[in-house]
Amino acid sequence: MKTAVLLLAYGGPDSLADIPAYLLDIRGGRETPQALIDEITHRYAAIGGCSPLLRITQSAAAQLQARIGLPVYVGMRHWTPWIKDVVAQMAVDGVERAAVICMAPHYSSMSIGAYRRKLDEALAAVERPFAVQFLESWHTQPDYLAALAANVRATLARFPADERAQVLTVFTAHSLPESIIARGEPYDRQLRETAQLLAERLQLPAGRWTFSYQSAAKTGVPWLGPQIEDLLVDLAARGERSLVIAPIGFIADHVEVLYDIDVGVQEIARGHGLRVERPPMLNDSPALVTILAALADATLREFQKPA
């Protein structure tokens, strides 16, 4: 059987001119207030005018394809190449089964579930849909934990040796509405499990690490917290001065990292006398390719199990 791997990522605008259409898709066709368009345009302008997410994901896909010897496709949820178009191309190419991996390790119906819905819609639209094994989460995958820990360890080493014991490590992830907790979704639990496992790998003492959410939208409903902006103010008031802020819910550079952390968080930190260092994202590194190869292998093996 012709077997392939499909990597799914969020998507991002190719230019500032694309932002209104990009937001229109994210908002399900609802009109975007001009103030929001202006704010998002400002953020993308501050990081160079476009999202690097597609370039990074395609680079990782090319390396993965060379590693595993199978075709690897890339589909985006909210921008080109659209998931529906990529699935249609896979069907034309004769793909009969595929491992589908979202470029986000933690499950929620609003994130991974939305990828699955887009995938199912795309498969339903092709004349000859192929079989898929869809990986819902990989938040404790050993290579992923090892790679994150290595990056945090290297970042801690930027501080003078005699100050490292006083550095607080803050693991972060994109916030979602609190209502997902009431629905019993595992998102918050999985994130905190990842943070705990990383703290253990790094041998961080109790009190020298914590977890926080970031990038909450202003929707008028409660979102998961604590929010990183509020936490920074509290930490400064407690006397903290040195932080490593490590996004663990993201694996690649995009606006929530390059702007929300590198611009927004740093501005607050400077205003409160805090030094903040951020580890590099996994991006298209050899470490990420190793992670994806392991995930693809494990997911493809699911085809061999009895139905």
Side-chain angles (χ1 to χ4, degrees):
M1 299 183 71
K2 183 168 182 179
T3 302
V5 174
L6 173 58
L7 304 181
L8 302 181
Y10 193 83
D14 297 323
S15 70
L16 296 181
D18 293 325
I19 287 174
Y22 173 65
L23 292 175
L24 190 67
D25 189 78
I26 290 174
R27 292 168 57 82
R30 291 179 290 115
E31 184 178 355
T32 308
Q34 187 60 47
L36 180 57
I37 293 175
D38 292 343
E39 171 61 23
I40 300 303
T41 300
H42 164 75
R43 295 185 181 197
Y44 276 97
I47 67 169
C50 67
S51 171
L53 185 60
L54 177 59
R55 172 183 54 78
I56 291 168
T57 309
Q58 288 179 329
S59 174
Q63 294 178 67
L64 177 62
Q65 180 168 302
R67 171 83 67 92
I68 66 177
L70 294 173
V72 179
Y73 297 81
V74 170
M76 296 285 167
R77 194 168 113 206
H78 289 299
W79 201 245
T80 58
W82 305 101
I83 291 172
K84 62 181 178 64
D85 294 337
V86 175
V87 167
Q89 184 61 55
M90 293 171 71
V92 169
D93 292 346
V95 171
E96 296 172 275
R97 64 181 187 179
V100 183
I101 301 168
C102 297
M103 303 294 275
H106 305 87
Y107 180 86
S108 83
S109 62
M110 296 181 67
S111 57
I112 308 305
Y115 287 111
R116 183 62 198 250
R117 291 188 291 274
K118 290 286 189 181
L119 174 67
D120 289 344
E121 291 169 4
L123 288 168
V126 298
E127 184 176 348
R128 299 183 65 180
F130 46 88
V132 299
Q133 288 291 342
F134 185 92
L135 181 61
E136 289 198 338
S137 66
W138 43 280
H139 68 290
T140 60
Q141 204 279 338
D143 297 314
Y144 159 69
L145 295 174
L148 289 186
N151 284 353
V152 172
R153 191 175 293 114
T155 305
L156 286 166
R158 298 176 195 167
F159 294 87
D162 59 349
E163 297 179 14
R164 287 174 204 160
Q166 302 305 314
V167 177
L168 181 73
T169 299
V170 183
F171 301 109
T172 71
H174 201 300
S175 185
L176 291 175
E178 286 183 1
S179 57
I180 68 168
I181 301 295
R183 295 199 296 267
E185 296 194 16
Y187 185 70
D188 182 74
R189 173 181 55 78
Q190 288 184 354
L191 283 162
R192 294 178 187 276
E193 185 177 5
T194 298
Q196 178 68 49
L197 291 171
L198 286 170
E200 292 171 2
R201 280 178 175 259
L202 291 161
Q203 298 182 312
L204 299 176
R208 289 293 87 202
W209 69 275
T210 190
F211 174 78
S212 177
Y213 283 101
Q214 63 168 90
S215 308
K218 297 175 182 177
T219 60
V221 299
W223 282 54
L224 296 170
Q227 289 298 313
I228 188 63
E229 295 86 356
D230 298 330
L231 180 63
L232 288 175
V233 176
D234 292 343
L235 292 175
R238 280 169 28 189
E240 299 288 351
R241 289 294 175 263
S242 301
L243 307 177
V244 167
I245 295 183
I248 59 174
F250 309 103
I251 61 173
D253 286 329
H254 60 312
V255 71
E256 284 85 358
V257 174
L258 298 176
Y259 185 88
D260 292 1
I261 299 295
D262 293 356
V263 178
V265 162
Q266 286 287 8
E267 182 177 344
I268 295 171
R270 287 191 298 270
H272 288 81
L274 295 167
R275 175 184 174 184
V276 168
E277 297 286 343
R278 176 179 67 80
M281 305 307 291
L282 296 177
N283 286 332
D284 56 349
S285 63
L288 179 67
V289 178
T290 295
I291 295 164
L292 294 175
L295 294 175
D297 180 65
T299 306
L300 289 171
R301 283 204 303 270
E302 292 295 313
F303 282 113
Q304 300 170 7
K305 294 184 178 180

